[in-house]
Amino acid sequence: MHKFVWAGVATLALAGLAGPAMAAGAVIGQVKTVAGQAFVLRDGGRVAARPGDAVQEKDVLETGADGAIGVTFIDNSVFSSGPNSQVSLEEFSFDSSNFKGAMTSEVRRGTLTVVSGDIARSTPGSMKVKTPTAIMGVRGTTFAVQVKP
Amino acid sequence: MRRGLILLGALLALAACQQTPAPRQALFVVLPGDDGHIGAITVNDGKREILLDRPYAASESRGGVTAPVQTSEVEVRQVFGAALAARPILPVHFRLYFQTGSDRLTPESDAAYRAVFDDIRRRPVYQVEVVGHTDTTGVAARNQDLSQQRAASMRDRLVRDGIAAGAITTAGRGELDQAVPTARGVDEPRNRRVEVTVR
C-alpha cells in the first residue's frame, strides 16, 4: 500500500517536471458507472475511468466504440454517455449552502443523457450544453443530445 | 419477389434523389422524467431559439440549420440506449428529525434511518452529504454546535453500520436554513433535522 502511494507521488512529481504543473482542480463529481473503454482526459493525459474516480472541472469524458460512462455531480446533476462520445466539462461552479452555481459542458461527439440537478433548479439559465451546431439552455430536468462525428 | 425488391430499391433511390436531406449533425430530445416532472430545454443555433417542453419533443441540426423534428420512444431507445443504460442511480434526498435540544432522532426518524442506510448500500460507489439544522429556540451559537452534533451523530451511526467514513461529509447550518421559517425562539419540530443527500 505504502509502496503504491509513493509510486503515485513519484509519478506526480515526474509529471510536474515534464510539463505544466498539474492543476489542483476542485472535485465536481464522481464516476459512477463504466462499461467497455471509458477515459477521463485531464491536463493532456488520458486515464481509464473507474467507478469512484473523482471528476474535475475541465475534464473531458471519452468513450471508445464499446464504451459508456456515468457521472454524478456535486449539485446532483447526472450525466451518462454511450459509445464514441466526447464530453467536455468546461465550467462548473456550485455553492452547496445556497445551491447556486453554473455549469457549461460541450458534447463534441456521441451521446449524452442528462438529469439536471440543483444548479439548473436554483439558477435559471445557468446550465448550458454546447454542441458544434447549437447551444442548449436547460430548464430541467431530463433530456438527451446526440452529436454526429 | 426479386422484381418486388428491385422495384422497392428503385423507389427508395428515387425518394433519396428527390429529398437528398443533409445528414443529421445533432439531435436534441426532452425525455420523460422519472418523477413525472416534465422538463424543458431551449435549443439555439445562433439564428433562432426553439423551446422543447414535452416528452419526446425534439429538434435536429442538418446543414447547420436546427429545426423541430419528430422522434419517438423507439428512436430514443436506438440512439440513446447505451447512454441511458450507463445512467447512475439518481441521487436521493432524506430528512430525519431530532428530539428537542438533542442529537437523538425522534422515534419515527429512528425507524426511517433504515431507508437511508439501504439506499446507500444499493449503490456500487456512493457519496453521502449530511447537513444538520436546529429550530430557533435557545442561543444561536449553541444551535450552530448542536447542528454539527446532529450531522456528526448521523455520520457516526452510518460508519458503525459499515458505511465508509471517507464517503461522508458533514456540515452544520445552525438555525440559518429553516425548513419552516419561524421567528426566534420557536420550538418547530420540522426544523430540528438533518438533510441527507445520497448519490
Side-chain angles (χ1 to χ4, degrees), chain B residues 16-66:
Chain B
C17 283
Q18 281 174 337
Q19 302 219 336
T20 57
R24 176 185 279 172
Q25 297 166 293
L27 174 67
F28 311 87
V29 191
V30 173
L31 300 180
D34 287 354
D35 55 359
H37 177 265
I38 293 166
I41 57 175
T42 56
V43 181
N44 190 323
D45 66 357
K47 297 182 225 33
R48 69 165 174 157
E49 185 163 276
I50 301 165
L51 172 66
L52 306 173
D53 60 359
R54 290 173 294 106
Y56 301 108
S59 65
E60 66 174 0
S61 302
R62 287 182 192 268
V65 178
T66 302

Side-chain angles (χ1 to χ4, degrees), chain B:
Chain B
M1 177 65 186
R2 183 177 293 172
R3 188 177 297 172
L5 278 177
I6 291 168
L7 185 62
L8 181 66
L11 282 171
L12 284 172
L14 188 64
C17 283
Q18 281 174 337
Q19 302 219 336
T20 57
R24 176 185 279 172
Q25 297 166 293
L27 174 67
F28 311 87
V29 191
V30 173
L31 300 180
D34 287 354
D35 55 359
H37 177 265
I38 293 166
I41 57 175
T42 56
V43 181
N44 190 323
D45 66 357
K47 297 182 225 33
R48 69 165 174 157
E49 185 163 276
I50 301 165
L51 172 66
L52 306 173
D53 60 359
R54 290 173 294 106
Y56 301 108
S59 65
E60 66 174 0
S61 302
R62 287 182 192 268
V65 178
T66 302
V69 66
Q70 287 282 333
T71 188
S72 66
E73 195 173 343
V74 171
E75 185 184 18
V76 163
R77 224 176 275 279
Q78 279 170 0
V79 175
F80 298 107
L84 289 168
R87 178 191 283 174
I89 298 171
L90 295 182
V92 177
H93 190 82
F94 298 90
R95 272 184 183 174
L96 297 179
Y97 298 97
F98 289 82
Q99 300 174 28
T100 306
S102 158
D103 64 2
R104 295 174 67 93
L105 292 169
T106 63
E108 297 77 18
S109 285
D110 195 67
Y113 164 85
R114 181 77 204 183
V116 179
F117 177 77
D118 287 345
D119 187 83
I120 298 170
R121 290 300 294 263
R122 76 190 170 116
R123 297 167 190 265
V125 292
Y126 54 79
Q127 290 178 310
V128 183
E129 268 177 20
V130 186
V131 181
H133 302 271
T134 68
D135 63 25
T136 60
T137 59
V139 181
R142 160 81 187 115
N143 281 339
Q144 176 59 36
D145 291 344
L146 177 58
S147 69
Q148 283 163 340
Q149 286 165 21
R150 284 174 173 165
S153 77
M154 180 59 47
R155 177 198 56 211
D156 294 347
R157 182 167 178 181
L158 289 168
V159 171
R160 273 201 306 278
D161 287 344
I163 303 302
I168 308 173
T169 59
T170 62
R173 297 283 295 157
E175 53 189 73
L176 291 174
D177 290 332
Q178 299 169 47
V180 180
T182 69
R184 278 221 41 83
V186 176
D187 174 5
E188 172 53 64
R190 286 170 293 179
N191 287 337
R192 296 192 290 269
R193 70 200 195 278
V194 284
E195 308 269 349
V196 183
T197 304
V198 182
R199 63 173 167 256

Side-chain angles (χ1 to χ4, degrees), chain A residues 3-118:
Chain A
K3 198 176 285 178
F4 189 73
V5 169
W6 283 112
V9 170
T11 306
L12 284 174
L14 284 174
L17 287 174
M22 186 171 281
V27 173
I28 63 169
Q30 186 179 50
V31 175
K32 298 292 192 185
T33 65
V34 169
Q37 292 202 306
F39 306 92
V40 175
L41 280 53
R42 182 182 301 160
D43 296 329
R46 189 165 178 268
V47 179
R50 291 167 311 175
D53 285 353
V55 172
Q56 300 178 6
E57 188 180 25
K58 309 246 184 265
D59 282 354
V60 177
L61 309 176
E62 187 180 276
T63 57
D66 64 343
I69 187 168
V71 171
T72 301
F73 295 90
I74 57 175
D75 80 318
N76 298 317
S77 295
V78 174
F79 277 23
S80 53
S81 285
N84 295 315
S85 298
Q86 204 178 74
V87 178
S88 167
L89 309 174
E90 287 187 358
E91 184 203 357
F92 187 100
S93 62
F94 180 61
D95 182 341
S96 63
S97 68
N98 61 16
F99 304 115
K100 302 243 181 234
M103 181 178 193
T104 303
S105 32
E106 180 179 20
V107 182
R108 295 173 179 168
R109 62 167 189 265
T111 53
L112 173 69
T113 60
V114 175
V115 181
S116 65
D118 293 331

